[in-house]
Amino acid sequence: MLFQNPRNRTVRVGDLEIGPDSPLVLMAGPCAVEGIGQLMASAEAAKAAGATILRGGCFKPRTSPYSFQGVGEDGLEILRRAADSTGLKVVTEVMDPSQVEIVASCADILQIGARNMQNYTLLRSMVAADGKPVLLKRGIAATIEEWLYAAEYILVAGSPVILCERGIRTFADHTRFTLDVSAIPAVKRQSALPVIVDPSHAAGCRHLVPALARAAVAVGADGLLVEIHPDPRGARCDKEQALLPEELQALSGDIAAIAAAVGRRFEVPVSVVP
Ligand code: PEP
Ligand code: MN
């Protein structure tokens, strides 16, 4: 299987490397792209906390058809501008095969969301991503085997894969999803692929995000994907879980300390005190 091939241990994104042999990677940004002001503020906050990749959804998979669905294609340019002006890379979601080419022309990493993990048409359509890396979220009820076979489709289509644990559905109702911390070492045992963790969608509420992020790093995650917003109360999407810029800074300091304790590096700006 390609997901076991040691050549897939490290994913290169331009001059950045993601994987167990590289420093931890922090991806941060708002749930959804709303406008240039929001994105510039988010990019600056992400950068100041040591993030190297800016996230933001332009095409949003929403539970309700009446919720904000994202700004669409226009958001891609906004995301690119904000990332370029701060020296960050871009990760953004692609929901449909018809969007792959346009998203690949703008983003550095294409995201496939949890709800689409087993959309085999979409997975196969990654051939149009022209070898750009894909961040594959774990489906909300997917086993590790199902997740890895989904990754295999993308690898066969010619794109490197970064796995992302983002919580699964359980009976617990104190969180939005249950972060499956055990999945991180388990999936690393079965595959060579880098694994990052999204504590934001697992928690669903701001106050739990830092604790889950710290746990993820302690069990061996290769990076984090964290939602932030310069004004969470005004966010059009996932406002309850977005960290404030200063909360991301504090989390970065904690991550650097935990990374050091587990033999990993996390390069933070001098303004972040571990
Ligand atoms: C997201 O990262 O914007 C998102 C919708 O996440 P998930 O697919 O994990 O729900
Ligand atoms: Mn979100």
Side-chain angles (χ1 to χ4, degrees):
M1 288 293 162
L2 294 171
F3 64 69
Q4 291 167 323
N5 189 326
R7 290 170 60 138
N8 292 315
R9 246 173 101 80
T10 302
V11 170
R12 285 180 187 79
V13 188
D15 55 354
L16 190 69
E17 292 189 347
I18 304 174
D21 310 316
S22 312
L24 294 183
V25 66
L26 177 60
M27 310 182 181
C31 180
V33 173
E34 296 166 14
I36 188 68
Q38 171 234 19
L39 251 286
M40 285 304 300
S42 301
E44 277 156 20
K47 177 90 179 178
T52 46
I53 301 175
L54 179 65
R55 67 147 285 145
C58 303
F59 305 102
K60 295 300 306 172
R62 302 306 303 278
T63 301
S64 165
Y66 305 116
S67 301
F68 174 57
Q69 303 285 311
V71 296
E73 251 181 71
D74 295 347
L76 295 172
E77 201 190 316
I78 294 175
L79 203 45
R80 192 72 260 170
R81 268 175 61 198
D84 286 348
S85 72
T86 39
L88 299 173
K89 313 273 191 245
V90 165
V91 58
T92 194
E93 180 159 354
V94 52
M95 286 179 61
D96 186 273
S98 64
Q99 298 158 355
V100 177
E101 247 174 87
I102 176 93
V103 172
S105 72
C106 157
D108 300 294
I109 305 174
L110 289 79
Q111 176 172 320
I112 294 186
R115 291 155 191 81
N116 267 322
M117 190 208 84
Q118 286 181 305
N119 179 342
Y120 299 111
T121 309
L122 182 62
L123 301 179
R124 274 201 216 93
S125 77
M126 289 301 128
V127 281
D130 218 15
K132 285 232 166 133
V134 174
L135 177 78
L136 179 66
K137 296 271 194 109
R138 181 181 181 187
I140 66 172
T143 64
I144 285 177
E145 187 184 40
E146 288 162 344
W147 191 15
L148 288 175
Y149 278 127
E152 189 74 12
Y153 272 90
I154 300 168
L155 293 165
V156 167
S159 278
V161 175
I162 303 155
L163 297 172
C164 180
E165 162 63 35
R166 46 78 71 209
I168 51 173
R169 176 64 40 84
T170 68
F171 57 81
D173 60 3
H174 62 288
T175 52
R176 192 166 163 198
F177 294 93
T178 298
L179 184 70
D180 184 4
V181 171
S182 67
I184 299 143
V187 79
K188 278 180 164 281
R189 197 178 155 89
Q190 292 179 45
S191 90
L193 305 177
V195 184
I196 69 156
V197 169
D198 169 356
S200 304
H201 289 91
C205 56
R206 185 170 305 114
H207 71 95
L208 286 174
V209 170
L212 297 186
R214 293 192 297 262
V217 173
V219 295
D222 300 311
L224 295 168
L225 176 73
V226 180
E227 285 191 348
I228 59 170
H229 199 285
D231 173 25
R233 278 177 307 179
R236 299 188 73 183
C237 190
D238 285 351
K239 59 172 71 164
E240 302 81 10
Q241 69 202 31
L243 295 188
L244 282 161
E246 55 270 29
E247 291 172 323
L248 186 69
Q249 284 255 339
L251 176 58
S252 273
D254 292 353
I255 295 309
I258 294 169
V262 295
R264 296 293 299 262
R265 273 178 304 138
F266 176 52
E267 287 157 9
V268 285
V270 281
S271 53
V272 173
V273 186

Coordinates of all heavy atoms in Angstrom, one line a residue, residues 168-201:
I168 N -14.5 12.1 16.4 CA -15.5 11.2 15.9 C -16.8 11.3 16.7 O -16.8 11.8 17.8 CB -15.0 9.7 15.9 CG1 -14.5 9.4 17.3 CG2 -13.9 9.6 14.8 CD1 -14.1 7.9 17.4
R169 N -17.9 10.8 16.1 CA -19.2 10.8 16.8 C -19.3 9.7 17.9 O -19.0 8.6 17.6 CB -20.2 10.7 15.7 CG -21.7 10.6 16.1 CD -22.3 11.8 16.7 NE -22.0 13.2 16.3 CZ -22.6 13.8 15.3 NH1 -23.5 13.3 14.5 NH2 -22.3 15.1 15.1
T170 N -19.6 10.1 19.1 CA -19.8 9.1 20.1 C -21.1 9.6 20.9 O -21.7 10.6 20.5 CB -18.6 9.1 21.1 OG1 -18.6 10.4 21.9 CG2 -17.3 8.9 20.5
F171 N -21.4 8.9 22.0 CA -22.5 9.3 22.8 C -22.3 10.6 23.7 O -23.2 11.2 24.2 CB -23.0 8.2 23.8 CG -21.8 7.8 24.7 CD1 -21.6 8.5 25.8 CD2 -21.1 6.7 24.4 CE1 -20.5 8.1 26.7 CE2 -20.0 6.3 25.2 CZ -19.7 7.0 26.3
A172 N -21.0 11.0 23.8 CA -20.6 12.1 24.6 C -21.2 13.4 24.1 O -21.2 13.6 22.9 CB -19.1 12.3 24.7
D173 N -21.8 14.2 24.9 CA -22.4 15.5 24.4 C -21.8 16.7 25.1 O -22.4 17.8 25.0 CB -24.0 15.4 24.6 CG -24.4 15.3 26.0 OD1 -23.5 15.2 26.9 OD2 -25.6 15.2 26.2
H174 N -20.7 16.5 25.8 CA -20.0 17.7 26.4 C -19.1 18.3 25.4 O -18.5 19.4 25.6 CB -19.3 17.3 27.7 CG -18.2 16.3 27.5 ND1 -18.5 15.0 27.2 CD2 -16.9 16.5 27.5 CE1 -17.3 14.4 27.0 NE2 -16.3 15.2 27.2
T175 N -18.9 17.6 24.2 CA -18.1 18.2 23.2 C -18.8 18.0 21.9 O -19.8 17.2 21.8 CB -16.7 17.4 23.0 OG1 -17.0 16.0 22.9 CG2 -15.8 17.6 24.2
R176 N -18.4 18.6 20.8 CA -19.1 18.5 19.5 C -18.8 17.1 19.0 O -19.7 16.4 18.5 CB -18.6 19.6 18.6 CG -19.4 19.8 17.4 CD -19.0 21.1 16.8 NE -19.4 21.2 15.4 CZ -19.0 22.1 14.5 NH1 -18.0 22.9 14.8 NH2 -19.4 22.1 13.3
F177 N -17.6 16.7 19.0 CA -17.2 15.3 18.6 C -16.2 14.9 19.7 O -15.7 15.7 20.5 CB -16.5 15.3 17.2 CG -17.4 15.7 16.1 CD1 -17.5 17.0 15.7 CD2 -18.2 14.7 15.5 CE1 -18.4 17.4 14.7 CE2 -19.1 15.1 14.5 CZ -19.2 16.4 14.1
T178 N -15.8 13.6 19.7 CA -14.8 13.1 20.6 C -13.5 13.0 20.0 O -13.4 12.2 19.0 CB -15.3 11.7 21.2 OG1 -16.6 11.9 21.8 CG2 -14.3 11.2 22.2
L179 N -12.5 13.7 20.4 CA -11.2 13.6 19.8 C -10.6 12.3 20.1 O -10.5 11.9 21.3 CB -10.3 14.7 20.4 CG -8.9 14.7 19.7 CD1 -9.0 15.2 18.2 CD2 -7.9 15.6 20.4
D180 N -10.3 11.5 19.1 CA -9.8 10.2 19.3 C -8.3 10.2 19.4 O -7.6 10.1 18.4 CB -10.3 9.3 18.1 CG -9.9 7.8 18.3 OD1 -9.3 7.5 19.3 OD2 -10.1 7.0 17.4
V181 N -7.8 10.5 20.6 CA -6.4 10.7 20.8 C -5.6 9.4 20.5 O -4.5 9.5 19.9 CB -6.2 11.2 22.3 CG1 -4.7 11.2 22.6 CG2 -6.7 12.6 22.5
S182 N -6.3 8.3 20.7 CA -5.6 7.0 20.5 C -5.4 6.8 19.0 O -4.5 6.0 18.6 CB -6.3 5.8 21.1 OG -7.6 5.7 20.4
A183 N -6.2 7.4 18.2 CA -6.0 7.2 16.7 C -4.7 7.7 16.2 O -4.2 7.2 15.2 CB -7.1 8.0 16.0
I184 N -4.1 8.6 16.9 CA -2.8 9.2 16.4 C -1.7 8.2 16.4 O -1.1 7.9 15.4 CB -2.5 10.6 17.1 CG1 -3.7 11.5 16.9 CG2 -1.2 11.2 16.7 CD1 -4.0 12.4 18.1
P185 N -1.4 7.6 17.6 CA -0.3 6.6 17.6 C -0.8 5.3 16.8 O 0.0 4.7 16.1 CB -0.1 6.2 19.0 CG -1.2 6.8 19.8 CD -1.8 8.0 19.0
A186 N -2.1 5.1 16.8 CA -2.6 3.9 16.1 C -2.4 4.0 14.6 O -1.9 3.1 13.9 CB -4.1 3.6 16.4
V187 N -2.7 5.2 14.0 CA -2.6 5.3 12.6 C -1.2 5.4 12.2 O -0.8 5.0 11.1 CB -3.5 6.5 12.1 CG1 -2.9 7.9 12.3 CG2 -3.9 6.4 10.6
K188 N -0.4 5.9 13.1 CA 1.1 6.1 12.8 C 1.7 4.7 12.7 O 2.7 4.5 12.0 CB 1.8 6.9 13.8 CG 1.6 8.4 13.4 CD 2.3 9.3 14.4 CE 2.5 10.7 13.9 NZ 3.6 10.8 13.0
R189 N 1.2 3.8 13.5 CA 1.7 2.4 13.5 C 1.3 1.7 12.2 O 2.1 0.8 11.7 CB 1.0 1.6 14.6 CG 1.7 0.4 15.1 CD 1.0 -0.1 16.3 NE 1.1 -1.6 16.4 CZ 2.1 -2.2 17.0 NH1 3.0 -1.4 17.6 NH2 2.2 -3.5 17.1
Q190 N 0.2 2.0 11.6 CA -0.3 1.3 10.4 C 0.1 2.0 9.1 O -0.1 1.5 8.0 CB -1.8 1.2 10.4 CG -2.3 0.3 11.5 CD -3.8 0.2 11.6 OE1 -4.5 0.1 10.6 NE2 -4.3 0.3 12.8
S191 N 0.6 3.3 9.2 CA 0.9 4.0 7.9 C 2.1 4.8 8.1 O 2.6 5.1 9.3 CB -0.3 4.8 7.5 OG -0.2 6.1 8.0
A192 N 2.7 5.3 7.0 CA 3.8 6.2 7.1 C 3.4 7.7 7.1 O 4.2 8.6 7.2 CB 4.7 5.9 5.9
L193 N 2.1 7.9 6.8 CA 1.7 9.3 6.6 C 1.8 10.2 7.7 O 1.5 9.8 8.9 CB 0.2 9.3 6.1 CG -0.1 8.4 4.9 CD1 -1.5 8.4 4.5 CD2 0.8 8.8 3.6
P194 N 2.1 11.5 7.5 CA 2.0 12.5 8.6 C 0.6 12.6 9.1 O -0.4 12.5 8.4 CB 2.4 13.8 7.9 CG 2.9 13.5 6.6 CD 2.4 12.1 6.2
V195 N 0.5 12.9 10.4 CA -0.9 13.0 11.0 C -0.9 14.3 11.8 O -0.1 14.6 12.7 CB -1.1 11.9 12.0 CG1 -2.6 12.0 12.6 CG2 -0.9 10.5 11.4
I196 N -1.9 15.1 11.5 CA -2.1 16.3 12.3 C -3.4 16.3 13.0 O -4.3 15.4 12.7 CB -2.0 17.6 11.5 CG1 -3.1 17.8 10.5 CG2 -0.6 17.7 10.7 CD1 -3.4 19.2 10.1
V197 N -3.7 17.2 13.9 CA -4.9 17.1 14.7 C -5.6 18.5 14.7 O -5.0 19.5 14.8 CB -4.6 16.7 16.2 CG1 -5.8 16.9 17.1 CG2 -4.2 15.2 16.2
D198 N -6.9 18.4 14.5 CA -7.8 19.6 14.5 C -8.6 19.5 15.9 O -9.6 18.8 16.0 CB -8.7 19.5 13.3 CG -9.9 20.6 13.4 OD1 -10.0 21.3 14.4 OD2 -10.6 20.6 12.4
P199 N -8.1 20.2 16.9 CA -8.8 20.2 18.2 C -10.1 21.1 18.1 O -11.0 20.9 19.0 CB -7.8 20.8 19.2 CG -7.0 21.7 18.3 CD -6.9 21.1 17.0
S200 N -10.2 22.0 17.2 CA -11.3 22.9 17.2 C -12.6 22.3 16.8 O -13.6 22.5 17.5 CB -11.0 24.0 16.1 OG -9.8 24.6 16.4
H201 N -12.7 21.5 15.8 CA -13.9 20.9 15.4 C -14.3 19.7 16.3 O -15.5 19.4 16.5 CB -13.9 20.4 13.9 CG -13.9 21.6 13.0 ND1 -12.8 22.2 12.5 CD2 -15.0 22.3 12.5 CE1 -13.1 23.2 11.7 NE2 -14.4 23.3 11.7

